């Protein structure tokens, strides 16, 4: 697996994204430049509609930019076809959604093992690895359960375990605590922090709650599709100034 | 990888059992119909083939018709106009191998308390040759029997069953028109004729005995019909010409006048019958194939609904690394599994239906291996063909759009 020698996991230059709608093109991201290094924990912040999700989808290779360059762990994504993008999503990215997005008819074990199927991992190894991951997120006793049988916080843990299946270079999470209560949110954030601190996993996480953002080391703020702040995480009173 | 995708496909089918069942039903009915229809067609063809084979080969039948005078049917026309001498003359022809003059009639046969109405034929030894009909027990009718007008009878299998059951028949005495006859032999089983009669429901007696003692004709030498066997298949046309010419000469029928006999080529009649049956079975098969195609369209329909319903699932799979071909394979496999499973059940039902039809009705059916193989091939093809479009539709979704789908 090729990794960039300089430790840059995400390299973004002059990135633009506009949606083509019936009412004409809607520009959402305007000239975004960003570099994220291995091991960083970045919180993406900003008001609703500022383009955070759009940006995350591009980071996750689920969507493509209108213009600009996105280099993921040494791979220039702009030249890639759908199969190569699928491979990048499978090997380099773990995506955690606000709505969990587990397959309702599959067991937790099967859900976690799914990325391994598409990576061509042998069956025995798949289930071993999936068990190991579920244990890591504290769900080793629920492997045969189905998503509907566990709580939202537990479902999000399963989603995180699934995101980690292929040891990705980048763990992305778009408002992972948006559907959870405060206590559970803190648990989930604690998990992200642990993964970042102990396993050195690069985490990029969208949130609009400051008490969630303070788990991160770096804050990137979007306003109307423009990066207005890129630096240390600020306290609420700092932003007003 | 294929194993995993197969399990996935199997599971998602299991998750919606009613829908899977309904989809399958189209295939089940289609394949069942194909198997059953082909079995019926094949059975009909087999019956005709058997009947033709049992008839004898290269045969003509000469029938006496009414004698006519200058185109007007005269009252005396009721008289049979063919004679034993006509038969003898026909045998002299180079193109004719054997002749069998016959005198038929329906009569009551009595043995002890049992009695049975059957078709009695007065025949000569030539009959056994022409019909290629063996006597399995006892002896056939001999020249001596014909010369002396002996009272011997040869029984067909049906008559044997009706009168004797399991009892041995040869040597016993039966009564025909109150005349005692000794059973001299029993005919081999022939089965149905191609016009559907039971050929085994018959009793053969010497021609002379029939003429003089049983039917009591006022024209002692006359016969109703003469079967003529040509020397070979290629000699059939020549033989037909020879028979016509000879019989006209013997009657001095003027050129252009309709003769008082008709010559019918039995092989040609049989060929027409065989052809008709073949066309019928092809038609049956074609109709059944239409229902298979309808079943296939059913699969496509449900698959399209399924793709729409599972858009989000497709999005999730793509987000974690499924390529287009993985999604394509998943949906295509589902379609193929549904159609092949439907096919298996359809084959079982079709075979069962065919057996039941044979058992409960007089329809003879024959399930052939190739019709089963054909069904499997067609079912797989239909699965691929009608599954491809929905599968492709699923595979070509954009990940982000599939994920956003509510
Ligand atoms: N598929 C789309 N088509 C058109 N406009 C879109 C689409 N997705 C998002 N937008 C618009 O782009 C802007 C940014 O959306 P989004 O990235 O979801 O913001 P955020 O996640 O920060 O709330 C919004 O104004 C939204 O209406
Ligand atoms: Mg958003």
């Amino acid at each position: 697996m090729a990794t960039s020698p300089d430790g840059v996991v995400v390299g973004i230059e002059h990135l633009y994204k506009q949606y083509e709608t019936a009412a004409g093109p809607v520009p959402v991201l305007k000239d975004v430049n960003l570099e994220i290094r291995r091991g960083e924990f970045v919180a993406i912040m900003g008001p609703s509609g500022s383009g955070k999700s759009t940006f995350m989808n591009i980071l996750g290779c689920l969507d493509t930019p209108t213009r600009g360059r996105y280099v993921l762990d040494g791979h220039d994504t702009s030249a890639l076809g759908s199969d190569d993008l699928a491979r990048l999503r499978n090997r380099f990215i773990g995506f955690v959604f606000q709505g969990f997005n587990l397959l309702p008819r599959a067991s937790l074990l099967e859900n976690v093992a799914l990325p391994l199927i598409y990576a061509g991992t042998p069956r025995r190894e798949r289930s071993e690895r999936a068990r190991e991951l579920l244990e890591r997120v504290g769900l080793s006793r629920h492997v045969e359960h189905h998503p509907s049988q566990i709580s939202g916080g537990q479902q999000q843990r399963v989603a995180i375990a699934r995101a980690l299946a292929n040891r990705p270079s980048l763990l992305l999470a778009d408002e992972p605590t948006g559907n959870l209560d405060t206590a559970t949110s803190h648990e989930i954030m604690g998990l992200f922090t642990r993964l970042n601190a102990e396993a050195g996993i690069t985490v990029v996480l969208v949130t609009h709650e400051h008490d969630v953002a303070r788990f991160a080391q770096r804050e990137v703020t979007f306003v109307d599709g423009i990066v207005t702040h890129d630096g240390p995480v600020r306290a609420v009173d700092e932003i007003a100034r | 990888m294929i194993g995993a995708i197969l399990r996935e496909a199997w599971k998602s089918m299991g998750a919606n059992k009613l829908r899977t069942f309904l989809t399958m039903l189209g295939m089940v009915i289609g394949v069942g119909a194909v198997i059953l229809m082909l079995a019926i067609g094949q059975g009909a063809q087999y019956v005709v083939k058997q009947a033709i084979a049992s008839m004898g080969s290269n045969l003509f039948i000469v029938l006496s018709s009414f004698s006519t005078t200058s185109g007007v049917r005269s009252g005396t026309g009721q008289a049979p106009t063919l004679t034993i001498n006509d038969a003898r003359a026909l045998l002299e022809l180079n193109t004719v191998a054997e002749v069998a003059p016959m005198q038929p009639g329906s009569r009551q046969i009595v043995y002890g308390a049992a009695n049975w109405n059957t078709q009695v034929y007065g025949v000569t030894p030539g009959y056994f040759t022409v019909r290629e009909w063996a006597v399995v027990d006892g002896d056939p009718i001999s020249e001596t029997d014909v010369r002396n007008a002996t009272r011997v009878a040869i029984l067909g299998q049906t008559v044997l069953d009706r009168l004797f059951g399991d009892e041995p028949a040869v040597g016993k005495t039966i009564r025909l028109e109150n005349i005692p006859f000794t059973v001299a032999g029993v005919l081999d089983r022939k089965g149905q004729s191609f016009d559907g009669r039971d050929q085994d429901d018959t009793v053969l007696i010497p021609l002379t005995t029939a003429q003089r003692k049983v039917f009591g004709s006022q024209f002692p030498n006359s016969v109703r019909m003469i079967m003529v066997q040509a020397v070979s298949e290629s000699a059939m046309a020549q033989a037909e010409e020879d028979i016509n010419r000879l019989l006209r000469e013997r009657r001095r029928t003027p050129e252009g006048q309709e003769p008082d006999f008709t010559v019918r080529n039995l092989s040609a009649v049989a060929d027409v019958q065989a052809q008709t049956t073949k066309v019928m079975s092809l038609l049956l098969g074609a109709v059944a194939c239409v229902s298979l195609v309808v079943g296939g369209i059913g699969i496509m329909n449900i698959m399209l609904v399924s793709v729409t319903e599972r858009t989000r699932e497709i999005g999730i799979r793509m987000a974690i690394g499924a390529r287009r071909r993985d999604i394509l394979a998943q949906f295509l496999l589902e379609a193929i599994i549904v159609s092949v499973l439907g096919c298996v059940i359809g084959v079982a039902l079709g075979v069962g239906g065919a057996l039941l039809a044979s058992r409960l009705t007089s329809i003879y059916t024959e399930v052939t291996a190739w019709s089963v193989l054909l069904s499997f091939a067609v079912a797989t093809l239909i699965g691929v063909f009608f599954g491809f479009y929905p599968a492709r539709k699923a595979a070509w979704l954009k990940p982000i759009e599939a994920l956003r789908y509510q």
Side-chain angles (χ1 to χ4, degrees):
Chain A
M1 204 178 283
T3 51
S4 64
D6 51 1
V8 176
V9 179
V10 171
I12 281 179
E13 289 166 27
H14 306 297
L15 188 95
Y16 290 80
K17 175 69 179 180
Q18 62 184 36
Y19 289 112
E20 306 300 332
T21 65
V26 179
V28 175
L29 297 177
K30 301 152 194 167
D31 196 19
V32 177
N33 295 277
L34 202 70
E35 200 176 87
I36 298 169
R37 300 185 154 267
R38 194 168 309 287
E40 278 195 274
F41 190 156
V42 182
I44 307 276
M45 304 210 53
S48 186
S50 57
K52 304 183 296 294
S53 292
T54 304
F55 180 68
M56 289 298 277
N57 291 337
I58 291 170
L59 278 192
C61 295
L62 295 168
D63 206 354
T64 48
T66 312
R67 226 153 16 103
R69 231 164 94 86
Y70 168 30
V71 179
L72 169 65
D73 213 357
H75 299 81
D76 189 343
T77 62
S78 46
L80 299 180
S82 80
D83 278 5
D84 288 324
L85 288 174
R87 214 179 90 82
L88 280 188
R89 290 194 293 270
N90 185 236
R91 302 295 176 89
F92 291 82
I93 292 162
F95 211 116
V96 178
F97 302 89
Q98 179 174 353
F100 320 136
N101 275 345
L102 299 175
L103 295 186
R105 291 195 295 263
S107 70
L108 303 190
L109 192 77
E110 288 165 334
N111 264 293
V112 175
L114 203 55
L116 298 164
I117 288 183
Y118 295 121
T121 311
R123 195 179 176 193
R124 166 96 45 84
E125 214 177 309
R126 285 205 301 265
S127 97
E128 269 172 27
R129 173 105 180 110
R131 264 172 218 286
E132 192 184 298
L133 286 160
L134 280 169
E135 195 177 313
R136 197 157 152 196
V137 298
L139 285 169
S140 50
R141 284 177 312 150
H142 299 63
V143 287
E144 296 305 331
H145 283 57
H146 282 241
S148 58
Q149 297 170 304
I150 57 174
S151 71
Q154 288 172 319
Q155 287 188 51
Q156 197 59 300
R157 286 168 185 274
V158 176
I160 292 168
R162 180 180 69 185
L164 295 173
N166 281 319
R167 301 187 174 84
S169 314
L170 185 59
L171 184 58
L172 301 174
D174 190 352
E175 301 197 34
T177 59
N179 286 3
L180 304 174
D181 60 54
T182 314
T184 316
S185 290
H186 282 120
E187 271 174 45
I188 294 292
M189 287 311 297
L191 182 56
F192 277 112
T193 313
R194 233 174 349 104
L195 289 170
N196 175 253
E198 291 168 15
I201 296 170
T202 315
V203 178
V204 179
L205 183 146
V206 174
T207 182
H208 49 239
E209 291 166 64
H210 284 274
D211 63 332
V212 168
R214 68 188 162 74
F215 287 92
Q217 304 139 2
R218 175 178 168 192
E219 175 189 323
V220 174
T221 306
F222 280 82
V223 175
D224 277 344
I226 294 167
V227 176
T228 56
H229 170 87
D230 184 358
V233 179
R234 298 170 295 177
V236 187
D237 53 329
E238 275 181 82
I239 296 165
R241 269 185 256 142
Chain B
M1 182 85 188
I2 279 289
I5 289 178
L6 221 102
R7 267 192 297 279
E8 293 273 326
W10 180 254
K11 199 185 224 158
S12 83
M13 285 166 52
N16 208 328
K17 291 198 181 60
L18 179 65
R19 191 166 70 190
T20 305
F21 168 74
L22 287 176
T23 316
M24 228 179 258
L25 200 60
M27 279 319 280
V28 170
I29 291 170
V31 170
V34 167
I35 296 279
L36 185 61
M37 292 300 133
L38 288 180
I40 289 173
Q42 201 65 32
Q45 285 190 51
Y46 175 81
V47 167
V48 167
K49 225 188 258 164
Q50 284 299 107
I52 290 169
S54 75
M55 185 181 75
S57 44
N58 311 327
L59 286 189
F60 293 98
I61 190 157
V62 184
L63 295 160
S64 66
S65 51
F66 305 106
S67 60
T68 52
T69 319
S70 51
V72 180
R73 280 194 175 139
S74 71
T76 57
Q78 296 300 336
T81 56
L82 287 171
T83 63
I84 292 185
N85 291 334
D86 285 328
R88 290 204 185 100
L90 285 170
L91 190 56
E92 299 301 313
L93 289 169
N94 285 334
T95 46
V96 170
E98 185 60 281
V99 294
M102 293 157 69
Q103 188 66 20
S106 173
R107 287 296 183 275
Q108 199 78 13
I109 316 280
V110 181
Y111 171 72
N115 73 85
W116 182 247
N117 195 290
T118 188
Q119 198 67 19
V120 176
Y121 286 93
V123 298
T124 59
Y127 183 79
F128 299 90
T129 316
V130 165
R131 294 294 319 272
E132 292 164 18
W133 206 343
V135 170
V136 288
D137 192 9
D139 297 306
I141 287 165
S142 66
E143 286 296 350
T144 319
D145 291 325
V146 175
R147 207 175 314 118
N148 300 338
T150 52
R151 294 193 306 267
V152 292
I154 315 288
L155 308 186
Q157 290 284 340
T158 305
V159 177
L160 179 74
D161 279 355
R162 294 293 170 166
L163 295 187
F164 291 92
D166 292 333
E167 247 184 275
V170 175
K172 301 278 166 53
T173 303
I174 56 172
R175 301 184 84 81
L176 204 170
E177 292 279 281
N178 258 327
I179 307 161
F181 276 76
T182 307
V183 177
V186 174
L187 287 163
D188 197 3
R189 189 176 294 282
K190 268 280 191 206
Q192 272 189 6
S193 69
F194 65 79
D195 54 359
R197 276 179 311 106
D198 175 10
Q199 300 184 87
D200 299 309
D201 189 2
T202 192
V203 169
L204 304 180
I205 58 176
L207 180 61
T208 43
T209 317
Q211 287 169 327
R212 292 173 207 165
K213 297 173 181 160
V214 180
F215 301 136
S217 171
Q218 58 190 114
F219 308 96
N221 260 334
S222 70
V223 290
R224 270 297 314 281
M225 51 182 121
I226 304 171
M227 287 185 109
V228 183
Q229 185 170 41
V231 289
S232 68
E233 200 180 331
S234 55
M236 289 291 278
Q238 187 59 48
E240 186 162 7
E241 219 180 291
D242 290 350
I243 294 165
N244 271 301
R245 201 192 55 243
L246 179 78
L247 291 178
R248 288 179 85 105
E249 271 172 13
R250 285 176 60 80
R251 282 159 179 67
R252 302 199 171 75
T253 313
E255 196 83 32
Q257 191 187 315
E258 211 183 304
D260 60 2
F261 61 88
T262 43
V263 178
R264 219 178 272 161
N265 182 337
L266 280 183
S267 308
V269 172
D271 281 352
V272 169
Q273 182 75 21
Q275 209 53 42
T276 311
T277 320
K278 201 169 198 169
V279 169
M280 179 200 80
S281 63
L282 278 178
L283 271 177
L284 285 178
V287 168
C289 277
V290 170
S291 61
L292 250 187
V293 172
V294 171
I297 293 171
I299 290 185
M300 177 153 88
N301 227 328
I302 305 274
M303 290 295 294
L304 281 173
V305 173
S306 169
V307 165
T308 309
E309 263 187 22
R310 288 159 66 188
T311 301
R312 200 178 171 80
E313 174 195 327
I314 294 165
I316 295 171
R317 289 175 183 276
M318 286 177 160
I320 60 175
R323 293 163 301 177
R324 282 179 178 172
R325 76 184 77 147
D326 298 323
I327 303 290
L328 190 77
Q330 183 186 338
F331 281 86
L332 212 49
L333 265 174
E334 272 182 41
I336 293 173
I337 291 174
V338 167
S339 44
V340 169
L341 264 183
C343 182
V344 170
I345 300 171
V347 165
L349 279 184
V351 171
L355 287 177
L356 216 64
S358 289
R359 180 84 41 97
L360 300 182
T361 70
S362 62
I363 301 168
Y364 180 81
T365 59
E366 192 176 83
V367 178
T368 53
W370 69 263
S371 71
V372 174
L373 286 178
L374 184 85
S375 301
F376 272 103
V378 170
T380 314
L381 268 178
I382 282 181
V384 172
F385 185 81
F386 289 105
F388 188 77
Y389 174 67
R392 202 197 119 99
K393 201 179 151 194
W396 257 248
L397 285 170
K398 290 215 171 91
I400 189 65
E401 277 158 24
L403 269 174
R404 272 203 205 105
Y405 187 86
Q406 289 309 314

